[in-house]
Amino acid sequence: MSANTSLLDLYLDASIIANPVERSTVIQNIVNVLKEYSLDKKYEMKMSDGVLLLLTVENGSLSAVLRTHLNGLITLILEEGSLSSFLTNVEVEELRKRLNKAVQKRVDRIPILKRGLEVPNYFSSSDERIFEYDFDKLVFQADSPFQNVKILHSPTFGNTLFLDDLQNLAESDLSYTHGLMKYGELSYKDQEILILGGGDGGLLHELLKEKPKFITMVDIDQLVVDACREHLRGVCFDSLDKLKGDNYEVIIGDCVKKMDEYMKEGKSFDFVFGDLTDIPIATEPEGELWKFVKKIVTMALQVLKPRGRFLSHATGIGCVDALQEYEKMLCKLPIKVGFRSHSVFVKSFLEKWVFYEIWKI
């Protein structure tokens, strides 16, 4: 069973909403338009910022919720059940024009939102904008001890990995991996490399092409590695088929504990990659996730060789405050560092993603 939702916004002067007579006239004009679609008023309630009205058609297949706000905004939500076929973008655009004419004020609409889909298609960008995708198949889903692991198929982007419903990587997203590597700018030939995370296998696969001396990859979630080996072949190809090869090893474990072991052993690397969580979307560097990010960067620097590089992804280019806080954090680390950032457009993210190169001074 599915349903469609349409959202319309009407913009009035706040003085109109504050005046009961003028407000009533505007509402009646809107209701008159809605009556043309067999919507009749069923319920009205006074709110602290105006009024709320519920209108439905007789068989209940279509409903409307109209609410006024003291700042002059009027919101209209149309909800369609399975018995109705009214809510299309074409029909709602016609309704928008009628409302605009009736109230003689600006009316905007948001394209139809499809509800109750078998495969989820709505996800948010890094800075909380809504994207609608064309996912048409749930390829894999299971819960590990750490997170929900989901792989959806898209005709546009291929199979796409989600961790706790956060988009991770699609088969179309080689630009992400190349962005993380600074592909073409840095040489990994004969280098010792540590990957923190990277369970999708994409970074491992691309780095192996560079003929490094040895790659150690540490990811905590066996389920992610297994799922990607089977269902994300366009990302990892055959690089996860064996967890150990001549010049690489995939370790299933906690990368923090592993780096602690390396520090005690005095082992160091030419390159360390942070392919774990994104930096938090926040304006203040507080909370457990920020502490985790700081800990990872600090430990990674401690297992870097003197001329080594720590390379990590951050977040979307639109998260300006979060990126600024990340750079402030880098400036306050117990180890003095230099850093630079760059951004790359990632297809399935539908936005530019920011990456950092960090080194010890």
Side-chain angles (χ1 to χ4, degrees):
M1 182 177 180
S2 62
N4 289 336
T5 299
S6 179
L7 308 175
L8 295 103
D9 294 335
L10 293 78
Y11 299 88
L12 306 176
D13 295 329
S15 59
I16 295 176
I17 299 298
N19 186 307
V21 176
E22 291 188 69
R23 182 178 67 208
S24 178
T25 299
V26 171
I27 291 174
Q28 189 57 54
N29 288 339
I30 296 171
V31 170
N32 288 341
V33 173
L34 296 176
K35 282 183 176 180
E36 298 175 20
Y37 298 91
S38 300
L39 283 159
D40 291 322
K41 187 167 66 173
K42 302 295 183 183
Y43 176 78
E44 180 174 347
M45 181 173 67
K46 291 184 178 181
M47 309 288 287
S48 60
D49 57 353
V51 296
L52 181 146
L53 277 72
L54 171 65
L55 304 93
T56 65
V57 299
E58 189 172 344
N59 64 6
S61 61
L62 181 66
S63 65
V65 175
L66 179 72
R67 180 169 179 174
T68 64
H69 303 264
L70 288 178
N71 61 5
L73 175 67
I74 296 180
T75 56
L76 177 61
I77 303 173
L78 294 170
E79 189 79 49
E80 174 188 63
S82 58
L83 298 178
S84 177
S85 59
F86 163 70
L87 287 188
T88 66
N89 285 313
V90 173
E91 292 288 351
V92 176
E93 174 59 19
E94 180 60 31
L95 171 59
R96 186 197 68 79
K97 292 177 180 177
R98 293 187 184 185
L99 289 170
N100 194 86
K101 184 177 180 181
V103 299
Q104 293 294 303
K105 294 290 183 179
R106 174 180 155 204
V107 179
D108 289 342
R109 71 176 176 87
I110 294 174
I112 295 294
L113 300 175
K114 306 173 187 68
R115 315 286 292 276
L117 300 174
E118 291 185 10
V119 180
N121 267 307
Y122 294 102
F123 294 91
S124 63
S125 67
S126 61
D127 54 353
E128 300 298 322
R129 290 171 292 120
I130 297 174
F131 291 147
E132 181 178 7
Y133 288 86
D134 60 349
F135 296 121
D136 58 4
K137 182 181 179 182
L138 176 62
V139 176
F140 175 88
Q141 180 169 232
D143 290 311
S144 78
F146 308 100
Q147 58 203 334
N148 174 261
V149 181
K150 186 186 285 103
I151 296 177
L152 303 176
H153 175 264
S154 157
T156 303
F157 304 116
N159 285 355
T160 306
L161 173 66
F162 287 82
L163 301 178
D164 284 338
D165 282 328
L166 295 176
Q167 190 164 342
N168 199 266
L169 200 67
E171 291 179 310
S172 65
D173 294 339
L174 181 59
S175 62
Y176 171 91
T177 306
H178 280 178
L180 181 56
M181 293 170 58
K182 296 197 74 173
Y183 181 76
E185 297 182 46
L186 298 174
S187 174
Y188 300 100
K189 183 176 173 59
D190 299 325
Q191 303 294 293
E192 288 193 90
I193 300 169
L194 174 63
I195 301 174
L196 310 176
D200 53 69
L203 180 59
L204 173 66
H205 180 73
E206 292 302 312
L207 286 171
L208 285 172
K209 295 178 183 178
E210 304 282 314
K211 302 187 184 307
K213 181 178 180 181
F214 200 87
I215 300 174
T216 303
M217 174 179 138
V218 186
D219 194 284
I220 200 168
D221 203 331
Q222 180 77 61
L223 182 62
V224 172
V225 174
D226 292 343
C228 292
R229 178 194 300 120
E230 183 174 355
H231 302 294
L232 215 65
R233 302 290 290 187
V235 170
C236 62
F237 295 87
D238 61 351
S239 296
L240 293 177
D241 289 356
K242 295 186 298 181
L243 297 187
K244 192 170 185 178
D246 293 337
N247 64 340
Y248 75 93
E249 182 180 10
V250 176
I251 298 171
I252 304 299
D254 186 335
C255 68
V256 171
K257 293 180 180 178
K258 200 65 185 175
M259 284 193 287
D260 190 54
E261 290 178 18
Y262 291 147
M263 283 187 280
K264 291 175 182 177
E265 296 169 3
K267 184 174 177 58
S268 58
F269 300 85
D270 298 293
F271 292 95
V272 178
F273 284 91
D275 200 11
L276 298 159
T277 182
D278 302 328
I279 66 172
I281 303 172
T283 57
E284 295 292 335
E286 298 176 353
E288 292 303 315
L289 193 49
W290 270 113
K291 291 178 183 177
F292 176 73
V293 170
K294 183 177 180 179
K295 184 173 187 176
I296 290 295
V297 176
T298 302
M299 295 186 76
L301 292 168
Q302 290 175 298
V303 297
L304 268 183
K305 293 180 181 179
R307 295 183 178 274
R309 290 291 189 269
F310 175 61
L311 297 151
S312 183
H313 62 92
T315 188
I317 200 168
C319 299
V320 177
D321 291 337
L323 292 167
Q324 289 176 345
E325 288 302 329
Y326 183 68
E327 294 188 3
K328 289 178 184 177
M329 182 203 73
L330 294 178
C331 293
K332 296 177 182 178
L333 291 173
I335 301 171
K336 192 172 182 180
V337 301
F339 60 88
R340 62 173 65 96
S341 66
H342 64 284
S343 61
V344 174
F345 182 79
V346 182
K347 289 181 179 179
S348 79
F349 292 11
L350 300 176
E351 60 181 322
K352 277 190 171 183
W353 212 250
V354 179
F355 303 87
Y356 280 84
E357 177 186 4
I358 304 167
W359 59 92
K360 293 184 283 188
I361 298 177

